[in-house]
Amino acid sequence: MFHHQHHWRRAAMAAREFGFHGRGRGFGRHHGGGRRGERVFDQGDLRLVILKLISETPRHGYEIIKAIEERVGGAYSPSPGVIYPTLTLLEELAYVTVESAEGGKKLYRITDAGDEMLAERQADVDAIFERMETIHERFEGPSPRIFRAMRNLGGAIRVRMTSGALTAEQLDAVVSAIDEAAAKVEKA
């Protein structure tokens, strides 16, 4: 009974792989597009995507995150909090094995059972990867990593500006740091 509940709980977590608790994440105001409610992954799709990527070559969790982000042109970057529980679920289902690699990282390899499951779901896998390719072709916004960095900078400026009066030297330092960051971005 406990074992069944454990898998149900993990499956429920994996069901929220994309779309914030089952609601579609739009590519509207956050990503420069005009659509709301569009989903990349339906329930269970991320498991298939991860399994397919691992079938191409054994991968670390971080490599899976980057591969998914590349496949959708930066329109979505799954968090470690989504990827690692899904990898654990795939391991518990015996679809992947885990090896220790250099630096204490885990390397995930597909099993025969994982290959069989992919073969059984080949049409679904193909459809998911076609959707990912379509999103990659359509997406025109900056990478989610750029949005995160912009939020970090804005947050740091807000905290600094609301934490009390700045001396002339502190103000000069803040302005200089912002100008320096802008110059580096222009040259990148």
Side-chain angles (χ1 to χ4, degrees), residues 133-148:
E133 180 62 29
T134 299
I135 290 168
H136 184 278
E137 291 170 1
R138 263 195 343 236
F139 189 69
E140 297 176 3
S143 161
R145 293 170 51 207
I146 291 175
F147 281 116
R148 179 197 49 77

Side-chain angles (χ1 to χ4, degrees), residues 25-36:
R25 177 177 176 178
F27 295 115
R29 60 191 163 91
H30 299 294
H31 295 286
R35 298 188 176 117
R36 295 290 303 159

Side-chain angles (χ1 to χ4, degrees), residues 91-113:
E91 181 184 9
E92 290 172 354
L93 295 171
Y95 293 149
V96 299
T97 59
V98 182
E99 301 172 7
S100 293
E102 62 182 80
K105 293 181 180 178
K106 294 180 178 181
L107 185 67
Y108 296 88
R109 290 185 188 277
I110 194 162
T111 63
D112 290 340

Side-chain angles (χ1 to χ4, degrees), residues 2-176:
F2 172 75
H3 187 68
H4 176 72
Q5 285 181 328
H6 178 69
H7 277 293
W8 180 85
R9 209 171 287 127
R10 285 221 187 268
M13 269 176 64
R16 295 188 300 257
E17 297 156 339
F18 190 87
F20 299 113
H21 309 285
R23 287 179 220 115
R25 177 177 176 178
F27 295 115
R29 60 191 163 91
H30 299 294
H31 295 286
R35 298 188 176 117
R36 295 290 303 159
E38 182 173 348
R39 294 174 64 111
V40 174
F41 301 127
D42 291 327
Q43 182 174 346
D45 287 357
L46 187 59
R47 282 179 262 169
L48 293 174
V49 169
I50 291 171
L51 211 50
K52 174 65 174 165
L53 292 171
I54 293 171
S55 77
E56 294 171 354
T57 185
R59 298 177 191 256
H60 302 286
Y62 179 78
E63 292 171 330
I64 294 167
I65 292 169
K66 292 297 143 202
I68 292 171
E69 185 177 342
E70 284 178 22
R71 297 280 177 116
V72 294
Y76 170 63
S77 182
S79 72
V82 169
I83 293 297
Y84 290 103
T86 305
L87 285 166
T88 299
L89 175 64
L90 292 172
E91 181 184 9
E92 290 172 354
L93 295 171
Y95 293 149
V96 299
T97 59
V98 182
E99 301 172 7
S100 293
E102 62 182 80
K105 293 181 180 178
K106 294 180 178 181
L107 185 67
Y108 296 88
R109 290 185 188 277
I110 194 162
T111 63
D112 290 340
D115 279 328
E116 289 173 18
M117 201 272 285
L118 277 180
E120 290 170 8
R121 304 279 310 268
Q122 188 62 52
D124 295 329
V125 172
D126 291 345
I128 295 164
F129 276 81
E130 283 178 28
R131 278 196 321 260
M132 292 168 68
E133 180 62 29
T134 299
I135 290 168
H136 184 278
E137 291 170 1
R138 263 195 343 236
F139 189 69
E140 297 176 3
S143 161
R145 293 170 51 207
I146 291 175
F147 281 116
R148 179 197 49 77
M150 288 169 39
R151 282 191 307 270
N152 286 347
L153 178 60
I157 292 169
R158 220 175 1 269
V159 165
R160 188 63 194 105
M161 299 308 295
T162 60
S163 64
L166 299 176
T167 66
E169 293 82 25
Q170 290 171 323
L171 181 60
D172 288 343
V174 169
V175 170
S176 177

